[in-house]
């Protein structure tokens, strides 16, 4: 028996505004930076805003790879609060930083977003330096094709 092929279905695009990094310094494994998440927008099957108060506890590893470990709240247009936990790595691809992440969504047990509590979600992350929303993420649900 072979495993079924998988397909990605677009879920949302996020444009994230970040604050000045807090430089922690050297820790085991690399250089730690805490990057505040100030807000942003969400479009796609989920629409809403990224609320302030989240952060990315980034680790710049000695091999040049950066890790992403971000948690932040999203307020959907229908009033639900989704907690997004985004973990992955950022490397250079075609001369530009590109992140690949796995996302866990915590949603209220009642309501239209409850299915996201057990739906696999993956994403890509690009940096738009010089922009007021320098981080762009694309989230996709993983489905059996």
């Amino acid at each position: 028996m072979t495993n079924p092929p998988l397909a990605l279905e677009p879920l949302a695009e996020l444009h994230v505004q970040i604050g000045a990094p807090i430089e922690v310094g050297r820790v085991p494994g690399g250089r730690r930076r805490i990057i505040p998440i100030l807000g942003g927008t969400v479009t796609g099957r989920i629409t809403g805003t990224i609320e302030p108060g989240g952060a990315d506890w980034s680790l710049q590893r000695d091999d040049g790879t950066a890790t992403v470990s971000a948690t932040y709240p999203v307020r959907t247009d229908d009033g639900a609060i989704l907690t997004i936990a985004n973990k992955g790595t950022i490397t250079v691809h075609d001369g530009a930083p590109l992140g690949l992440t796995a996302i866990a969504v915590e949603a209220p047990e009642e309501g239209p977003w409850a299915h996201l509590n057990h739906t696999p979600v993956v994403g890509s992350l690009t940096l738009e330096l010089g922009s007021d929303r320098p981080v762009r993420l694309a989230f996709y649900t993983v489905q059996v094709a």
Side-chain angles (χ1 to χ4, degrees):
M1 176 181 207
T2 60
N3 291 341
L6 302 176
L8 301 179
E9 185 176 323
L11 177 63
E13 189 169 299
L14 289 74
H15 291 265
V16 183
Q17 182 181 9
I18 59 174
I22 300 165
E23 299 291 342
V24 175
R26 292 277 315 163
V27 298
R31 192 185 86 225
R32 173 76 65 202
R33 296 170 57 171
I34 303 167
I35 304 168
I37 296 173
L38 305 177
T41 59
V42 182
T43 58
R45 290 178 16 219
I46 300 172
T47 58
T49 57
I50 299 165
E51 296 291 310
D56 177 8
W57 289 66
S58 175
L59 182 68
Q60 182 69 42
R61 299 187 328 209
D62 293 334
D63 67 2
T65 301
T67 63
V68 174
S69 183
T71 303
Y72 46 92
V74 167
R75 182 182 302 275
T76 65
D77 284 347
D78 63 8
I81 300 291
L82 308 177
T83 301
I84 307 297
N86 196 0
K87 296 190 182 298
T89 58
I90 299 174
T91 58
V92 175
H93 180 76
D94 292 335
L98 173 66
L100 297 176
T101 63
I103 294 102
V105 179
E106 182 183 82
E109 290 181 343
E110 301 289 327
W113 307 110
H115 69 281
L116 293 175
N117 288 316
H118 53 80
T119 300
V121 179
V122 296
S124 63
L125 177 155
T126 57
L127 303 173
E128 298 175 0
L129 301 176
S131 165
D132 68 340
R133 301 250 194 263
V135 179
R136 190 174 77 105
L137 299 117
F139 287 178
Y140 302 85
T141 56
V142 180
Q143 313 290 329
V144 174

